[in-house]
Each structure stands twice: as structure tokens, then as C-alpha cells.
Amino acid sequence: MELGQAMRGRRSIRGFTDKSVPRELLEEIIEMANCAPSSMNTQPWHLHVVTGAALEAIRTGNSERMLAGVPPAREIPDHGDYTGVHRERQIEIAKQLFAAMGIERHDKAMRQDWVMRGFRQFDAPVSIVVTFDRSLLDNGTIAHFDLGAVTYGLVLAAWSKGLGTVINGQGIMQSPVVREHAQIPDDQVILTCVALGWPDESFAANDVKSNRRAVSNTARFVGFD
């Protein structure tokens, strides 16, 4: 798959088959993602690839704690509520997804079920937990920037191999659960996770592709004739 094809064709996948993903294929995808740039070649990322019983334990713990009203326990500051145009884009994609899934605005049960799917990492057969060294925590957000690069590389590489992904902050909302069952060392900080697997072609939300801003609405060109 050509790079432009992968970048323009990629979409977030929220419904997966139960077909397993071979470790060899995952290693190939990670090798490609490792080509991502980083500040001064620090390569601060760690990728914890989780499946099987460990992933099921994370799903269960995440879901039980959220349903019990346990406050979220992320290891980086939350973004808080979005406002303005950012909130508008958030609402737009939610409307697209709910329309595809036939979830009505007043249907609280279906809306709750959709939220819980996120805490279960959309029942994907693989979760890749993205972390960075705790020693970098006080160095501002540069490590976050670098992990964004490797995470985008990861989802593009997976897409090029026929796999679907969704970057899923809900999946690490209860980070102590993730840390325990993924056996993440204490000297690493959990940033996010990526749900990964073979797309379920019958899952309607998988066909949703978010609208993107035009170049004229994204970039300014200075000094060009």
C-alpha cells in the first residue's frame, strides 16, 4: 500500500473479528513504527503488546471500576472539556458514529453500551499500551509529542497490513488496572493504548470516516509569491 493511500484511506476501527493476530506480524508493524522521528533521537517510547487472559483482565477491571463510579485514574493530565470548534468536531464524529450504529439521542442504554465498548478496548484481540520513561515526566510535553509520532506510525503500519486500529484513551482510563495486568514497570508512564485487530466488515461504525479540514483551513503560507 502506498503511503498516500494508507494516510487517506485509514479510519478508526471500533469493531473487530475474534481472529488472532500473529506475533510475527505485530513485530513487523512495530519495526515500521519504530522509524518515527523523535527529539534528538531519544526514542522515549515503550510498546506493551497485550492479548489473551491479560487483556481480558484489563477489560474486566476497567469496566467494573467505571461502572462502580471509581474516578478515572490516568497518569497524564486530562484534556478536560472541549469548547468552541474542538467541541463541534467532537460532536460531529459522535453524530456520525451514532447514526451508523442506529443509536438514538434518547436511547440511554445504547449510548451507555457504546461508552462501555471503549472501556473494553472495543473487544479487540490486541491492545498496545504506549508508555514513556518516567524520568522524562518533568521535561514538558516533548515525550508526548514523540509518542504521538510513533503511535501514528503504528496505526499506519497496521492499516497497510490490513489491520484496523483505534487510539483509545478510554482503554487506559483506569491505569492501575492496566499497569497490573500488562506488567508495566513503575519507571514508565502510561500515555494511551491502541486497540488492534482484523476489522469486522459487518460492523457499521467501521465505515465512518471523519471529515477533515481543508489545507486552506489548516495551514498558513508565509513568504510565498
Side-chain angles (χ1 to χ4, degrees):
M1 185 182 295
E2 293 183 355
L3 178 60
Q5 183 182 2
M7 294 179 74
R8 293 187 178 93
R10 186 208 64 82
R11 58 189 183 275
S12 293
I13 297 299
R14 297 175 174 85
F16 301 89
T17 71
D18 57 7
K19 179 182 176 182
S20 62
V21 182
R23 175 171 173 167
E24 295 77 12
L25 180 55
L26 291 165
E27 290 179 350
E28 182 180 357
I29 289 167
I30 291 169
E31 187 275 331
M32 294 169 67
N34 268 340
C35 295
S38 62
S39 175
M40 302 183 188
N41 194 37
T42 49
Q43 302 180 53
W45 50 76
H46 302 276
L47 304 177
H48 302 267
V49 187
V50 188
T51 192
L55 181 52
E56 287 303 319
I58 290 172
R59 288 194 229 280
T60 300
N62 234 2
S63 299
E64 288 179 349
R65 286 168 68 99
M66 295 306 296
L67 287 171
V70 177
R74 300 185 67 175
E75 298 186 355
I76 60 169
D78 197 355
H79 54 67
D81 293 332
Y82 288 118
T83 60
V85 68
H86 307 105
R87 176 61 175 165
E88 292 171 9
R89 294 179 189 135
Q90 181 186 27
I91 291 172
E92 180 184 34
I93 189 60
K95 286 181 176 179
Q96 287 180 259
L97 290 167
F98 286 178
M101 297 298 294
I103 302 174
E104 300 291 343
R105 183 178 180 83
H106 63 273
D107 194 336
K108 293 182 179 180
M110 287 289 289
R111 291 167 73 93
Q112 173 75 355
D113 178 72
W114 182 259
V115 171
M116 294 311 299
R117 287 181 59 83
F119 294 127
R120 298 198 310 269
Q121 303 195 29
F122 296 96
D123 301 319
V126 176
S127 173
I128 301 180
V129 185
V130 184
T131 71
F132 63 95
D133 294 319
R134 191 173 296 278
S135 62
L136 301 175
L137 191 58
D138 295 330
N139 290 16
T141 58
I142 293 176
H144 297 189
F145 182 89
D146 293 340
L147 266 65
V150 77
T151 302
Y152 186 41
L154 186 69
V155 300
L156 281 181
W159 188 259
S160 75
K161 299 296 183 180
L163 289 159
T165 63
V166 60
I167 302 171
N168 178 29
Q170 288 175 296
I172 50 88
M173 199 69 79
Q174 295 292 342
S175 287
V177 173
V178 180
R179 179 174 296 281
E180 175 187 356
H181 296 292
Q183 302 175 26
I184 296 173
D186 290 337
D187 63 356
Q188 295 177 23
V189 177
I190 297 173
L191 183 70
T192 192
C193 71
V194 178
L196 180 150
W198 303 103
D200 179 353
E201 301 297 338
S202 67
F203 194 76
N206 286 349
D207 293 329
V208 171
K209 188 168 177 57
S210 58
N211 297 319
R212 295 293 163 153
R213 300 154 65 189
V215 172
S216 59
N217 186 245
T218 303
R220 291 180 61 246
F221 296 88
V222 181
F224 292 84
D225 295 332

Short mmCIF file of all heavy atoms in Angstrom, two decimals, residues 10 37 58 63 97 111 127 164 223:
data_model
loop_
_atom_site.label_atom_id
_atom_site.label_comp_id
_atom_site.label_asym_id
_atom_site.label_seq_id
_atom_site.Cartn_x
_atom_site.Cartn_y
_atom_site.Cartn_z
N ARG A 10 -7.01 5.37 5.79
CA ARG A 10 -7.11 4.89 7.17
C ARG A 10 -8.31 5.50 7.88
O ARG A 10 -8.64 6.66 7.71
CB ARG A 10 -5.84 5.26 7.94
CG ARG A 10 -5.80 4.66 9.36
CD ARG A 10 -4.98 5.51 10.30
NE ARG A 10 -5.56 6.83 10.50
CZ ARG A 10 -6.54 7.09 11.35
NH1 ARG A 10 -7.08 6.11 12.09
NH2 ARG A 10 -7.02 8.32 11.47
N PRO A 37 10.23 9.70 13.89
CA PRO A 37 11.22 10.65 14.41
C PRO A 37 10.96 10.93 15.89
O PRO A 37 9.84 10.78 16.38
CB PRO A 37 10.98 11.91 13.57
CG PRO A 37 9.53 11.82 13.20
CD PRO A 37 9.25 10.36 13.01
N ILE A 58 -7.76 -6.82 31.96
CA ILE A 58 -7.80 -5.37 31.85
C ILE A 58 -9.20 -4.89 31.49
O ILE A 58 -9.73 -3.95 32.09
CB ILE A 58 -6.78 -4.89 30.80
CG1 ILE A 58 -5.35 -5.11 31.31
CG2 ILE A 58 -7.00 -3.41 30.45
CD1 ILE A 58 -4.28 -4.83 30.28
N SER A 63 -13.85 -1.99 33.19
CA SER A 63 -15.31 -1.88 33.14
C SER A 63 -15.92 -1.86 34.53
O SER A 63 -16.79 -1.03 34.84
CB SER A 63 -15.90 -3.04 32.33
OG SER A 63 -15.42 -3.03 31.00
N LEU A 97 -21.03 8.44 14.17
CA LEU A 97 -20.95 7.08 14.71
C LEU A 97 -22.31 6.60 15.20
O LEU A 97 -22.71 5.45 14.93
CB LEU A 97 -19.93 7.04 15.85
CG LEU A 97 -18.47 7.22 15.43
CD1 LEU A 97 -17.60 7.48 16.65
CD2 LEU A 97 -17.98 5.99 14.68
N ARG A 111 -26.42 4.21 24.33
CA ARG A 111 -25.31 5.16 24.48
C ARG A 111 -24.34 4.68 25.55
O ARG A 111 -23.12 4.77 25.39
CB ARG A 111 -25.86 6.55 24.80
CG ARG A 111 -26.60 7.19 23.62
CD ARG A 111 -27.38 8.41 24.06
NE ARG A 111 -26.52 9.54 24.34
CZ ARG A 111 -26.19 10.47 23.45
NH1 ARG A 111 -26.67 10.40 22.20
NH2 ARG A 111 -25.43 11.48 23.77
N SER A 127 -4.19 -5.24 22.42
CA SER A 127 -4.06 -3.86 22.87
C SER A 127 -2.57 -3.54 22.98
O SER A 127 -1.81 -4.33 23.54
CB SER A 127 -4.74 -3.64 24.22
OG SER A 127 -4.46 -2.33 24.71
N GLY A 164 -6.91 -3.16 11.50
CA GLY A 164 -7.55 -1.94 11.94
C GLY A 164 -7.11 -1.57 13.33
O GLY A 164 -6.71 -2.43 14.12
N GLY A 223 5.63 34.15 2.96
CA GLY A 223 6.81 34.39 2.16
C GLY A 223 6.76 33.80 0.77
O GLY A 223 7.75 33.82 0.03
#
